[in-house]
């Protein structure tokens, strides 16, 4: 049977209100957007304004299983964004090694991630030693299940960010962060052939001309094409259209 559901204007208003609250939280933590970052943002928005279609969960998971790199968009202040990646990672086959590469940790925290995976420190110690509250500051409990899943499955956790990276908000600094992340991802691909590198990074960085291009620029032609999948989780236009 097919059921028609009458749109609820109140529900849509509530979604828009929640979105405004989340954006205000980001501004409170990170400051307003400088003019050069607005230009950077428009490149992302133009890309996501292109025609699109709805895919099933099964189609998405098949594409991910075939990929070398998944660029997973992160809306830092929104718990369902982190839970979406958790659901995807839980759904992956346990036959293939996975590396979870994270913007939320600076590269200086890598030794603490390694010790956490090895069982030498617990999650609370990881939070303290990595300087999470000072350097990242978004809700720890939203991200923690991702780290614990990786530990249970004996996956690697890899730090991608520069020191204090999330507090740097010029376009030049955003691009420098992407170049640093691309270097780490490239090194990880070389060190872990056959693994899936699942990147969780701010959605804005995942326009094709941003982090994906920075990664491709590091790969010599003879290395072959990287099979990429990008999962965007932060497009207001697409979200509200689907909500309607």
């Amino acid at each position: 049977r097919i059921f028609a559901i009458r749109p609820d204007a109140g529900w849509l208003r509530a979604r828009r209100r929640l979105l405004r609250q989340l954006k205000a939280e980001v501004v409170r933590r990170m400051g307003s957007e400088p003019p050069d970052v607005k230009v950077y943002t428009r490149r992302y928005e133009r890309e996501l304004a292109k025609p699109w279609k709805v895919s099933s969960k099964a189609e998405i998971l098949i594409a991910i299983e075939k990929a070398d790199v998944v660029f997973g968009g992160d809306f830092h202040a929104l718990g369902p964004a982190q839970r979406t990646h958790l659901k995807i990672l839980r759904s992956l086959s346990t036959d293939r090694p996975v590396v979870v590469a994270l913007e939320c940790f600076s590269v200086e925290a890598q030794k603490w991630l390694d010790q956490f995976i090895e069982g030498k420190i617990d999650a609370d110690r990881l939070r303290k030693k990595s300087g999470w509250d000072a350097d990242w500051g978004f809700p720890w409990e939203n991200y923690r299940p991702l780290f614990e899943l990786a530990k249970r499955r004996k996956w690697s956790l890899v730090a991608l960010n520069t020191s204090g990276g999330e507090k740097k908000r010029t376009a030049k600094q955003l691009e420098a962060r992407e170049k640093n992340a691309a270097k780490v991802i490239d090194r990880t691909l070389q060190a872990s052939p056959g693994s899936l590198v699942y990147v969780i990074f701010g959605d804005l960085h995942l326009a094709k001309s941003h982090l994906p291009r920075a990664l491709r620029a590091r790969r010599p032609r003879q290395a072959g094409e990287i099979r990429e999948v990008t999962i965007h989780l932060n497009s207001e236009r697409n979200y509200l259209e689907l909500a309607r």
Side-chain angles (χ1 to χ4, degrees), residues 32-45:
S32 58
E33 200 170 70
D36 61 338
V37 175
K38 290 181 181 179
V39 174
Y40 180 92
T41 301
R42 281 198 290 273
R43 294 203 295 266
Y44 163 87
E45 292 171 343

Side-chain angles (χ1 to χ4, degrees), residues 131-225:
W132 177 278
D133 295 291
D135 292 344
W136 189 248
F138 292 99
W140 168 260
E141 292 305 324
N142 291 345
Y143 288 86
R144 179 174 178 161
L146 290 163
F147 315 148
E148 292 178 336
L149 175 66
K151 186 175 184 177
R152 288 196 302 273
R153 295 203 176 179
K154 296 181 173 55
W155 293 343
S156 298
L157 292 175
V158 172
L160 295 178
N161 213 340
T162 53
S163 298
E166 198 51 34
K167 303 186 187 310
K168 299 176 181 178
R169 292 293 290 171
T170 68
K172 185 175 181 179
Q173 287 164 330
L174 293 175
E175 289 164 0
R177 195 187 315 169
E178 291 164 3
K179 288 180 180 178
N180 180 76
K183 179 175 69 175
V184 178
I185 294 167
D186 183 36
R187 190 168 63 222
T188 302
L189 285 167
Q190 294 181 52
S192 308
S195 296
L196 170 65
V197 180
Y198 194 102
V199 178
I200 301 178
F201 219 87
D203 209 86
L204 177 65
H205 295 279
L206 302 187
K208 291 179 181 178
S209 59
H210 294 168
L211 176 56
R213 184 170 71 179
L215 177 59
R216 286 192 294 273
R218 295 192 59 84
R219 304 285 291 175
R221 188 177 299 275
Q222 61 268 27
E225 291 293 323

Side-chain angles (χ1 to χ4, degrees), residues 103-136:
E103 183 190 14
C104 57
F105 289 105
S106 69
V107 292
E108 288 81 3
Q110 185 60 54
K111 61 182 178 181
W112 306 117
L113 291 174
D114 293 341
Q115 288 188 21
F116 172 73
I117 292 296
E118 293 164 6
K120 295 178 180 178
I121 61 173
D122 62 14
D124 292 334
R125 192 73 171 160
L126 172 63
R127 178 180 183 175
K128 182 176 180 180
K129 286 290 189 181
S130 67
W132 177 278
D133 295 291
D135 292 344
W136 189 248

Side-chain angles (χ1 to χ4, degrees), residues 43 45-53 208 237-238:
R43 294 203 295 266
E45 292 171 343
R46 282 198 299 270
E47 183 174 316
L48 268 67
K50 294 176 181 178
W52 56 276
K53 67 180 182 69
K208 291 179 181 178
R237 174 201 292 255
N238 293 10

